[in-house]
Amino acid sequence: MELQDRVAFVTGAGEGIGKAAALRLAREGARIAAVDISPERLAELAAEVEQFGGQTLQLVADVSQPDQMQQAHERVAQEWDRLDIVFANAGINGVWAPLDELSPEDWDRTLGVNLKGTFLSLKYGLPLLKRAGGSVVITASVNGTRVFSNTGATAYSCAKGAQVIFAKMTALELAKYRIRVNAICPGSVHTSIADNTFLRNLEREKERVVFPDGDIPLTRGKAASAEQVAELVLFLASDRASHITGSEMWIDGAQSLLLG
């Protein structure tokens, strides 16, 4: 068990990539401090983890709210008094719309969850992480890093591109504490993030492009599973990636090379 007795702080842990990663890390022995805005989803995750003898700490929080994230980390300190892994995964697509129809509130909400949430997830975990070092993994995206053709996704892409810069900046700052920081950049993945996507008048601005055999060359259009992404999270969280920091890794079946 690669992560025996370690503690992993996972945001957006109730579904999708976050849930798949939480389960995968738990199967390798990690105790999971699971953060999600939905107590029902957290309870379902905890029940699954407990089926194979794992441990979870259910932390209901909105990752964009400093007081809630600080309290979540304080709970981890009280319960387990250590932190080894932070998976800053919670995110939303938000509103995708032409720039003149994107409201300041739309912009703030998307960057608040995706970028500010990443900052808060790491900031309040630093006192414990600095004790013995650890690994931080950030869920960015192909959008804003290799792909810029998703019309209307300006706020989302800006947040995702900034997450990669955040990983590089903090990787250097925190290296002396033996804290590694990396970003993963998934392409299409089978999750429910589309439920948090609101499309508005995109056809007016969208460029017309047709791709043969789908837009994921490796699988002829088949999206990745959340479990495939979880394997990359496990690798970066483990000692197998002990000399990797400040890097972004694409997991998209070459989708971003085609769409970019």
Side-chain angles (χ1 to χ4, degrees):
M1 304 243 296
E2 285 191 274
L3 306 177
Q4 188 67 50
D5 297 326
R6 298 185 192 181
V7 172
F9 187 90
V10 180
T11 67
E15 60 183 345
I17 293 172
K19 183 175 183 179
L23 290 169
R24 190 68 184 91
L25 298 176
R27 288 188 181 278
E28 289 298 327
R31 290 171 284 174
I32 306 299
V35 180
D36 199 276
I37 202 166
S38 166
E40 293 78 17
R41 290 197 297 256
L42 286 177
E44 291 174 3
L45 170 67
E48 290 187 46
V49 171
E50 288 167 6
Q51 286 180 354
F52 54 82
Q55 298 181 56
T56 58
L57 184 61
Q58 299 177 50
L59 303 167
V60 179
D62 179 338
V63 296
S64 69
Q65 300 303 309
D67 57 339
Q68 295 182 34
M69 291 301 285
Q70 185 173 15
Q71 290 168 13
H73 275 291
E74 288 173 352
R75 283 280 312 282
V76 176
Q78 292 164 5
E79 295 290 333
W80 290 330
D81 196 34
R82 70 176 292 171
L83 183 61
D84 306 277
I85 299 160
V86 171
F87 182 31
N89 165 76
I92 59 171
N93 278 351
V95 173
W96 289 19
L99 196 60
D100 55 358
E101 296 187 26
L102 190 67
S103 74
E105 293 76 20
D106 297 333
W107 178 277
D108 288 345
R109 178 59 180 161
T110 302
L111 269 75
V113 173
N114 295 339
L115 183 56
K116 185 179 179 182
T118 296
F119 161 65
L120 297 175
S121 296
L122 179 52
K123 172 182 172 59
Y124 292 118
L126 281 177
L128 290 179
L129 276 174
K130 284 182 176 181
R131 289 185 187 176
S135 174
V136 179
V137 182
I138 298 167
T139 300
S141 173
V142 297
N143 291 291
T145 55
R146 274 183 175 172
V147 173
F148 303 93
S149 53
N150 280 325
T151 301
T154 307
Y156 179 79
S157 295
C158 284
K160 293 299 171 178
Q163 284 178 307
V164 172
I165 302 304
F166 180 85
K168 293 177 183 292
M169 292 294 296
T170 55
L172 186 58
E173 178 181 338
L174 300 175
K176 57 181 170 291
Y177 301 107
R178 290 173 293 129
I179 298 171
R180 298 181 293 106
V181 188
N182 294 288
I184 62 171
C185 301
S188 295
V189 182
H190 286 297
T191 71
S192 62
I193 194 170
D195 296 340
N196 291 315
T197 307
F198 305 94
L199 308 180
R200 187 185 300 154
N201 295 331
L202 296 183
E203 292 305 315
R204 191 189 76 201
E205 304 291 346
K206 194 172 184 64
E207 298 294 336
R208 308 296 177 182
V209 182
V210 177
F211 298 101
D213 298 322
D215 60 9
I216 307 176
L218 189 64
T219 57
R220 292 187 177 274
K222 182 181 178 181
S225 68
E227 288 73 21
Q228 286 175 301
V229 181
E231 291 295 335
L232 178 56
V233 176
L234 171 61
F235 169 70
L236 291 172
S238 74
D239 293 339
R240 287 178 289 152
S242 60
H243 206 60
I244 300 174
T245 194
S247 297
E248 66 269 40
M249 295 188 180
W250 286 273
I251 177 166
D252 68 346
Q255 182 182 26
S256 61
L257 297 176
L258 179 64
L259 297 182

